[in-house]
Amino acid sequence: MPMFLALRELRFAWLRFGLMGAVVGLVSILMVLLSGLSVGLVKDGVSGLQNLPVTSFAFERDVQHDAAFSRSVVDVSAVEAWQRRPDVAEAAPYGNTLVNARSDRNVEIDLALFGVAPGSFLSPKVGEGARLGGDANGVVVSRTALDEGLRVGDTLTVDRVGTRLRVIGATEGQDTFGHVDVAYVPLPVWQRIKAGAGPADAVPERATREITAVAVRARPGETVDLAAGDAAAGTESLPLEESYGASPGYTAETSTLQLIQGFLYAISALVAGAFFAVWAIQRKHEVAVLRAMGASGAWVLRDALVQAFLLLLVAVGIGAGAGVGLGALITGGGVPFALHAPSVTAAAAGLVALGLLGAGAAVARIASIDPATALGGNR
C-alpha cells in the first residue's frame, strides 16, 4: 500500500517532483565533479609518493611537518640504524628537491627530483627505456613528462647549476609531486644538485652525507615501531599517508574541497527536507484521513520515505551519470581530474542518505498529527 500511494502521487504531481528532482540532480552533478577534482588533485599532488613502496619516512627530528620534504636534512648514517630494526624489511636513502630544467630540444619543464640509490627498492619500474644504474647521469621521468614534450634520449640541463642529465627511461604511469613531474635520479647526482655544485665543482663532504629522509618498508604482516626506530636513529617518522601533508598545497587543496563537499551534502538534506515539509503540509488533510481510517504514524512516515527514496534515487542516479559523462570529457584535458568509482558511489549514497534524513525529519511531525485536529474537529 505505501508503494502504491507513493507511486500514484509521483505520477499525479510529476511536474512538482520533477523540479525537485532536477535540483537534486544538479547537486549530484556538482558532487561527482568535485569528487573527481578532489581525486585528481590528490593524484597530481602526491602520486609520486603513493607509488613508492614505503610504509613511512624518517625525517629530521623536530622538522616542520607541512614542509618536511623541503626542510628535512638527515645524515645518511640513519639508514643503517633503520636497517638494523627487526620489524623493517628494507630502508633506503631518499632525496627530494624541486628544480627547473631545459631539454636539448628547448622544452622547459619543472621537475621534482627524487634521489634514490640505483638497485634499491625505491628504484622505479619503467614502462619505456632503461632503469636507473646504467648511466651515472641517467634519469627516469614520469610518464606524464613525456606529454609535456620530453622524450627518452633527451638531455636536460638543470638551471643555475648546469648539471646535465640524460633521460634514459619513463615510468609506467603518472608520478607527480606538488603538481610537478617526478624525475628519479641517482642519489650522488641529487646530492650534487642539492648542494648547488656545478659539473666542474667539487661536492662538499657534508653534502655527500645528507639526504632528505630515510624511506622505510615494514616486513610483511608487521607494523614498524616508529618511536623505537626514531630513538635509535635520531629521526622523526611520519607514516606514508601523513607525509602527503608535506607536499606543497596538499592540505589546503584537500581541506577546501572537503569543506565544499560537506556544504553540498548539507544543501541536499535541506533541499529535500524543505520540499517534503511543504509537500507534507499540503497533504495535511489527506494524511489526517489516512490516520482516521486507521493508518498509523509509522505507516504514513514509511509512505513518505518510500516516495522520497524513489525520487532521490532516480534524481541522484541521473545526476551522477551526467557527472560521470562530463568528467569523462574533462579527463585528460589538462585539468587534474580523475574519476574514482568508490568515491562517486560514496558521494551518491551520501546524497540519498542525507536527503532521506531531511525528508524524514520534515514529515515526522505531520505523520504524528491528530486526525481530529487536522480535519478541523477542534473548531
Side-chain angles (χ1 to χ4, degrees):
M1 182 67 73
M3 180 68 77
F4 171 76
L5 290 175
L7 291 174
R8 184 179 180 185
E9 288 185 335
L10 286 171
R11 288 196 300 267
F12 175 75
W14 62 269
L15 180 59
R16 197 173 303 177
F17 282 103
L19 290 174
M20 168 62 186
V23 173
V24 175
L26 289 173
V27 173
S28 302
I29 293 174
L30 284 175
M31 186 63 77
V32 171
L33 293 179
L34 276 174
S35 175
L37 183 60
S38 179
V39 173
L41 283 171
V42 169
K43 188 175 181 181
D44 204 50
V46 296
S47 61
L49 298 179
Q50 291 175 328
N51 295 337
L52 292 176
V54 306
T55 52
S56 63
F57 287 102
F59 295 99
E60 179 184 359
R61 180 169 291 176
D62 298 326
V63 72
Q64 186 176 333
H65 287 186
D66 61 357
F69 287 109
S70 59
R71 297 190 178 187
S72 174
V73 178
V74 176
D75 190 274
V76 73
S77 62
V79 176
E80 296 180 5
W82 275 100
Q83 288 174 339
R84 289 193 294 266
R85 300 295 305 164
D87 47 10
V88 172
E90 294 180 271
Y94 167 80
N96 185 313
T97 193
L98 300 176
V99 299
N100 307 115
R102 181 190 296 269
S103 75
D104 52 356
R105 292 184 300 105
N106 290 322
V107 175
E108 294 185 351
I109 189 167
D110 300 328
L111 294 172
L113 297 186
F114 282 11
V116 301
S120 72
F121 73 100
L122 294 181
S123 183
K125 296 180 180 179
V126 297
E128 179 181 348
R131 300 189 66 173
L132 289 178
D135 187 330
N137 288 319
V139 300
V140 172
V141 299
S142 167
R143 168 65 56 183
T144 50
L146 302 186
D147 299 331
E148 298 295 325
L150 289 187
R151 295 178 186 172
V152 174
D154 283 356
T155 298
L156 299 172
T157 302
V158 180
D159 289 353
R160 293 186 302 107
V161 295
T163 301
R164 296 169 67 86
L165 307 171
R166 194 169 75 86
V167 180
I168 61 173
T171 60
E172 297 175 335
Q174 179 178 355
D175 288 84
T176 47
F177 175 81
H179 309 293
V180 174
D181 292 313
V182 169
Y184 295 87
V185 300
L187 187 63
V189 177
W190 176 85
Q191 290 170 329
R192 170 180 288 276
I193 294 172
K194 184 70 167 58
D201 299 330
V203 181
E205 174 63 24
R206 61 171 180 78
T208 63
R209 299 192 56 79
E210 292 179 348
I211 56 177
T212 299
V214 180
V216 177
R217 181 163 67 174
R219 291 187 182 277
E222 295 188 26
T223 301
V224 177
D225 187 343
L226 298 181
D230 285 333
T235 55
E236 182 172 341
S237 292
L238 290 177
L240 179 61
E241 291 191 3
E242 288 187 23
S243 71
Y244 297 164
S247 173
Y250 175 84
T251 302
E253 292 168 353
T254 54
S255 59
T256 299
L257 288 174
Q258 287 171 357
L259 182 62
I260 295 173
Q261 286 178 315
F263 276 116
L264 282 178
Y265 281 126
I267 289 169
S268 177
L270 289 173
V271 167
F275 174 82
F276 282 101
V278 174
W279 179 245
I281 291 172
Q282 291 178 344
R283 296 172 64 220
K284 184 176 180 180
H285 291 287
E286 288 81 356
V287 170
V289 171
L290 290 173
R291 292 296 311 279
M293 293 174 63
S296 65
W299 188 94
V300 175
L301 180 60
R302 186 165 63 250
D303 173 65
L305 289 179
V306 167
Q307 197 173 73
F309 176 74
L310 292 174
L311 174 63
L312 290 167
L313 189 65
V314 172
V316 171
I318 293 175
V324 170
L326 289 173
L329 297 177
I330 296 174
T331 303
V335 178
F337 187 93
L339 290 171
H340 188 232
S343 298
V344 172
T345 303
L351 287 176
V352 172
L354 287 174
L356 280 176
L357 183 64
V363 176
R365 184 177 178 183
I366 303 299
S368 61
I369 193 172
D370 178 60
T373 301
L375 290 172
N378 61 331
R379 295 176 184 172

